[in-house]
Amino acid sequence: MHTRTLGQGLQVSAIGLGAMGMSQSYGPNPGSRDDMIDVLRSAPEHGVTFFDTAEVYGPFVNEELVGEALEPIRADVVIATKFGWRIEDGKSVGLDSRPEQIRRVAEASLRRLRTDVLDLFYQHRVDPDVPIEDVAGTVAELIAEGKVRHFGLSEASAETIRRAHAVHPVTALQSEYSLWTRDPETEVLPVLAELRIGFVPFSPLGKGFLTGTVDQRTTFSDNDIRATIPRFSADNRGANQTLVAHVGALAASKDATPGQVALAWLLAQHPWVVPIPGTRRTARIAENAGSTAVALSADELADLSALATRIGVSGDRYNPQQMSFIDR
């Protein structure tokens, strides 16, 4: 596994690991908490040393899980977490990026993650009630105090990125990006290239769809977020099957998996792109890490890049409520 550099100097493994699904959003967990600790600790064996979590995952329990799992190898890994939600009675009830809230979250995250510094601290969603300059300034203070190393944003618009970066350098933007979610390409990616900001795509495998393991017959439990996403309705899954079948055919020709091709396409976009696929199985970590060895020709990359336009993608990537939290 090679490394990549985000922003002004944060070195991370080229493929990271999103830990959210170990605590929420994707239905019953196939293993116990101890099993998830074993999965997290196995990641560096496959070269994966960049881990992503957030206070809102669970809430709180995902950070506790990641903290316990990585404590013995803390010096060898990079941990990213996030602030920006108002959590009451164990539920997210809205956004809150007031400076005093950012500080509270930082202190709590440090405790839960069993560390003395947060490697990368993202604003999880842009809070329209708090100027982004105040957010960037507060994180800059935490960096000066040695509690945070790098500042990040998530699902932020090009304008917001520029304003934040003018106050304190933004190391990374985390937003959804994959073969079937191409929103950042028009405005955001050019700004990231200009300002030398890294990009960390979440859901790089389309919440599992691009792996070829989800089809019209798949059923989702009530606590699986995909049951609420228009793109995952039975009709839309049927319509979108053509895209993943195309990816699967290319993968078969390369003795790779569809997921590996989808990740290899992302890695080929820019040298500062670092996908963070989530999984709850060590075998998937090994598979995802293997994407760094999948070579795609210029013609294959161009063909994959044109899929979303040529074939089309049916259904939005979030329900209306979740779409309302995206800074556009």
Side-chain angles (χ1 to χ4, degrees):
M1 174 77 70
H2 62 281
T3 61
R4 292 191 163 194
T5 301
L6 298 176
Q8 296 70 40
L10 179 60
Q11 281 206 324
V12 298
S13 54
I15 297 288
L17 174 59
M20 180 187 74
M22 295 180 175
S23 300
Q24 67 167 62
S25 296
Y26 289 97
N29 198 312
S32 66
R33 188 177 189 280
D34 286 344
D35 291 333
M36 294 304 98
I37 288 174
D38 289 342
V39 171
L40 287 162
R41 288 180 180 169
S42 74
E45 298 171 13
H46 303 285
V48 176
T49 57
F50 181 36
F51 297 85
D52 183 87
T53 183
E55 65 150 1
V56 77
Y57 299 160
F60 312 128
V61 295
N62 196 251
E63 282 187 327
E64 292 170 351
L65 173 71
V66 171
E68 180 177 350
L70 300 183
E71 186 177 24
I73 53 173
R74 178 65 183 98
D76 302 318
V77 299
V78 175
I79 301 176
T81 192
K82 311 175 192 75
F83 64 88
W85 295 99
R86 186 169 75 256
I87 300 171
E88 297 176 0
D89 298 324
K91 294 182 180 180
S92 170
V93 296
L95 299 173
D96 188 352
S97 280
R98 293 171 300 151
E100 59 269 30
Q101 174 69 359
I102 296 172
R103 285 188 164 277
R104 279 195 294 266
V105 174
E107 296 294 346
S109 292
L110 286 167
R111 289 193 299 272
R112 288 190 290 264
L113 288 167
R114 305 187 184 192
T115 185
D116 57 3
V117 63
L118 306 173
D119 295 312
L120 178 55
F121 201 33
Y122 294 103
Q123 182 188 39
H124 209 154
R125 290 293 186 271
V126 176
D127 187 342
D129 295 329
V130 180
I132 195 63
E133 290 82 1
D134 292 353
V135 173
T138 302
V139 178
E141 291 171 359
L142 290 168
I143 291 172
E145 294 164 16
K147 296 177 180 179
V148 171
R149 289 198 172 104
H150 294 271
F151 172 39
L153 298 171
S154 181
E155 294 283 12
S157 68
E159 178 186 357
T160 298
I161 294 165
R162 286 190 183 280
R163 288 170 54 196
H165 193 76
V167 175
H168 186 86
V170 177
T171 291
L173 174 77
Q174 181 179 135
S175 294
E176 185 169 358
Y177 186 45
S178 69
L179 280 171
W180 73 345
T181 299
R182 310 291 288 281
D183 308 44
E185 291 179 339
T186 304
E187 297 181 358
V188 169
L189 288 182
V191 169
L192 299 183
E194 175 192 341
L195 300 179
R196 297 179 60 195
I197 297 170
F199 188 42
V200 180
F202 70 81
S203 296
L205 298 176
K207 295 180 173 62
F209 194 81
L210 296 174
T211 66
T213 60
V214 177
D215 58 27
Q216 277 183 292
R217 297 166 296 179
T218 304
T219 58
F220 302 116
S221 62
D222 291 341
N223 60 347
D224 191 317
I225 191 175
R226 292 171 292 187
T228 72
I229 295 176
R231 192 168 289 183
F232 282 88
S233 71
D235 288 345
N236 285 333
R237 274 180 276 152
N240 291 324
Q241 204 64 46
T242 304
L243 187 150
V244 77
H246 189 96
V247 177
L250 176 59
S253 74
K254 293 182 170 294
D255 195 26
T257 66
Q260 287 176 327
V261 167
L263 291 173
W265 176 82
L266 277 171
L267 291 169
Q269 298 310 298
H270 298 283
W272 34 266
V273 171
V274 178
I276 51 166
T279 186
R280 299 180 289 199
R281 296 175 173 85
T282 295
R284 290 293 187 195
I285 294 177
E287 177 185 332
N288 294 338
S291 64
T292 61
V294 176
L296 298 173
S297 70
D299 287 344
E300 288 165 342
L301 286 169
D303 177 66
L304 290 170
S305 295
L307 278 182
T309 300
R310 188 172 73 246
I311 295 176
V313 178
S314 296
D316 216 336
R317 66 186 180 100
Y318 278 134
N319 62 35
Q321 180 186 19
Q322 290 299 316
M323 287 299 293
S324 71
F325 290 121
I326 295 173
D327 182 41
R328 290 177 288 180

